[in-house]
mmCIF file of all heavy atoms in Angstrom:
data_model
loop_
_atom_site.group_PDB
_atom_site.id
_atom_site.type_symbol
_atom_site.label_atom_id
_atom_site.label_comp_id
_atom_site.label_asym_id
_atom_site.label_seq_id
_atom_site.Cartn_x
_atom_site.Cartn_y
_atom_site.Cartn_z
ATOM 1 N N THR T 1392 11.484 -8.890 -1.148
ATOM 2 C CA THR T 1392 11.692 -10.312 -1.109
ATOM 3 C C THR T 1392 10.777 -10.916 -0.106
ATOM 4 O O THR T 1392 10.702 -10.457 1.065
ATOM 5 C CB THR T 1392 13.173 -10.631 -0.736
ATOM 6 O OG1 THR T 1392 14.048 -9.861 -1.571
ATOM 7 C CG2 THR T 1392 13.467 -12.101 -0.934
ATOM 8 N N HIS T 1393 10.050 -11.969 -0.515
ATOM 9 C CA HIS T 1393 9.064 -12.593 0.380
ATOM 10 C C HIS T 1393 9.787 -13.547 1.346
ATOM 11 O O HIS T 1393 9.966 -14.712 1.063
ATOM 12 C CB HIS T 1393 8.034 -13.330 -0.460
ATOM 13 C CG HIS T 1393 6.978 -13.978 0.353
ATOM 14 N ND1 HIS T 1393 6.479 -15.229 0.047
ATOM 15 C CD2 HIS T 1393 6.294 -13.552 1.440
ATOM 16 C CE1 HIS T 1393 5.547 -15.549 0.941
ATOM 17 N NE2 HIS T 1393 5.422 -14.537 1.797
ATOM 18 N N THR T 1394 10.168 -12.985 2.486
ATOM 19 C CA THR T 1394 10.940 -13.780 3.464
ATOM 20 C C THR T 1394 10.170 -13.960 4.803
ATOM 21 O O THR T 1394 10.725 -14.524 5.744
ATOM 22 C CB THR T 1394 12.314 -13.133 3.747
ATOM 23 O OG1 THR T 1394 12.080 -11.788 4.225
ATOM 24 C CG2 THR T 1394 13.172 -13.125 2.510
ATOM 25 N N GLY T 1395 8.945 -13.478 4.853
ATOM 26 C CA GLY T 1395 8.156 -13.647 6.064
ATOM 27 C C GLY T 1395 6.738 -14.049 5.702
ATOM 28 O O GLY T 1395 6.345 -14.078 4.546
ATOM 29 N N PRO T 1396 5.909 -14.349 6.733
ATOM 30 C CA PRO T 1396 4.538 -14.706 6.456
ATOM 31 C C PRO T 1396 3.762 -13.537 5.863
ATOM 32 O O PRO T 1396 3.942 -12.410 6.272
ATOM 33 C CB PRO T 1396 3.992 -15.107 7.826
ATOM 34 C CG PRO T 1396 4.879 -14.433 8.811
ATOM 35 C CD PRO T 1396 6.217 -14.292 8.130
ATOM 36 N N PHE T 1397 2.875 -13.848 4.898
ATOM 37 C CA PHE T 1397 2.130 -12.808 4.219
ATOM 38 C C PHE T 1397 0.645 -13.195 4.229
ATOM 39 O O PHE T 1397 0.290 -14.302 3.782
ATOM 40 C CB PHE T 1397 2.622 -12.623 2.808
ATOM 41 C CG PHE T 1397 1.932 -11.564 2.013
ATOM 42 C CD1 PHE T 1397 1.949 -10.260 2.474
ATOM 43 C CD2 PHE T 1397 1.296 -11.827 0.820
ATOM 44 C CE1 PHE T 1397 1.275 -9.242 1.769
ATOM 45 C CE2 PHE T 1397 0.646 -10.824 0.098
ATOM 46 C CZ PHE T 1397 0.650 -9.543 0.569
ATOM 47 N N LEU T 1398 -0.168 -12.336 4.769
ATOM 48 C CA LEU T 1398 -1.606 -12.611 4.935
ATOM 49 C C LEU T 1398 -2.290 -12.583 3.593
ATOM 50 O O LEU T 1398 -2.189 -11.626 2.826
ATOM 51 C CB LEU T 1398 -2.252 -11.585 5.874
ATOM 52 C CG LEU T 1398 -3.705 -11.842 6.253
ATOM 53 C CD1 LEU T 1398 -3.822 -13.152 7.047
ATOM 54 C CD2 LEU T 1398 -4.217 -10.664 7.074
ATOM 55 N N MET T 1399 -3.007 -13.667 3.257
ATOM 56 C CA MET T 1399 -3.736 -13.779 2.008
ATOM 57 C C MET T 1399 -5.191 -13.317 2.201
ATOM 58 O O MET T 1399 -5.676 -13.220 3.329
ATOM 59 C CB MET T 1399 -3.698 -15.246 1.522
ATOM 60 C CG MET T 1399 -2.302 -15.806 1.333
ATOM 61 S SD MET T 1399 -1.373 -14.877 0.090
ATOM 62 C CE MET T 1399 -2.237 -15.347 -1.385
ATOM 63 N N PRO T 1400 -5.888 -13.032 1.101
ATOM 64 C CA PRO T 1400 -7.256 -12.518 1.204
ATOM 65 C C PRO T 1400 -8.194 -13.470 1.949
ATOM 66 O O PRO T 1400 -9.181 -13.006 2.570
ATOM 67 C CB PRO T 1400 -7.692 -12.360 -0.249
ATOM 68 C CG PRO T 1400 -6.436 -12.207 -1.015
ATOM 69 C CD PRO T 1400 -5.427 -13.034 -0.299
ATOM 70 N N ASP T 1401 -7.970 -14.766 1.934
ATOM 71 C CA ASP T 1401 -8.852 -15.708 2.607
ATOM 72 C C ASP T 1401 -8.487 -15.919 4.061
ATOM 73 O O ASP T 1401 -9.070 -16.744 4.768
ATOM 74 C CB ASP T 1401 -8.870 -17.045 1.880
ATOM 75 C CG ASP T 1401 -7.521 -17.749 1.880
ATOM 76 O OD1 ASP T 1401 -6.541 -17.248 2.480
ATOM 77 O OD2 ASP T 1401 -7.454 -18.845 1.249
ATOM 78 N N GLY T 1402 -7.521 -15.159 4.580
ATOM 79 C CA GLY T 1402 -7.156 -15.255 6.004
ATOM 80 C C GLY T 1402 -5.993 -16.175 6.286
ATOM 81 O O GLY T 1402 -5.451 -16.170 7.374
ATOM 82 N N ARG T 1403 -5.601 -17.001 5.297
ATOM 83 C CA ARG T 1403 -4.438 -17.860 5.521
ATOM 84 C C ARG T 1403 -3.153 -17.050 5.324
ATOM 85 O O ARG T 1403 -3.167 -16.012 4.676
ATOM 86 C CB ARG T 1403 -4.436 -19.017 4.529
ATOM 87 C CG ARG T 1403 -5.557 -20.020 4.724
ATOM 88 C CD ARG T 1403 -5.506 -21.132 3.740
ATOM 89 N NE ARG T 1403 -5.827 -20.561 2.425
ATOM 90 C CZ ARG T 1403 -5.476 -21.132 1.262
ATOM 91 N NH1 ARG T 1403 -4.821 -22.260 1.241
ATOM 92 N NH2 ARG T 1403 -5.780 -20.550 0.120
ATOM 93 N N GLU T 1404 -2.079 -17.569 5.890
ATOM 94 C CA GLU T 1404 -0.790 -16.890 5.719
ATOM 95 C C GLU T 1404 0.052 -17.722 4.722
ATOM 96 O O GLU T 1404 0.159 -18.945 4.840
ATOM 97 C CB GLU T 1404 -0.030 -16.770 7.015
ATOM 98 C CG GLU T 1404 -0.563 -15.693 7.887
ATOM 99 C CD GLU T 1404 0.323 -15.413 9.117
ATOM 100 O OE1 GLU T 1404 1.111 -16.297 9.517
ATOM 101 O OE2 GLU T 1404 0.208 -14.314 9.656
ATOM 102 N N LEU T 1405 0.632 -17.038 3.784
ATOM 103 C CA LEU T 1405 1.584 -17.656 2.841
ATOM 104 C C LEU T 1405 2.967 -17.595 3.478
ATOM 105 O O LEU T 1405 3.449 -16.513 3.732
ATOM 106 C CB LEU T 1405 1.535 -16.961 1.496
ATOM 107 C CG LEU T 1405 2.504 -17.472 0.429
ATOM 108 C CD1 LEU T 1405 2.139 -18.896 0.038
ATOM 109 C CD2 LEU T 1405 2.486 -16.567 -0.794
#
Side-chain angles (χ1 to χ4, degrees):
T1392 309
H1393 181 221
T1394 58
F1397 182 58
L1398 187 64
M1399 301 300 291
D1401 64 2
R1403 292 181 292 159
E1404 285 190 337
L1405 177 64

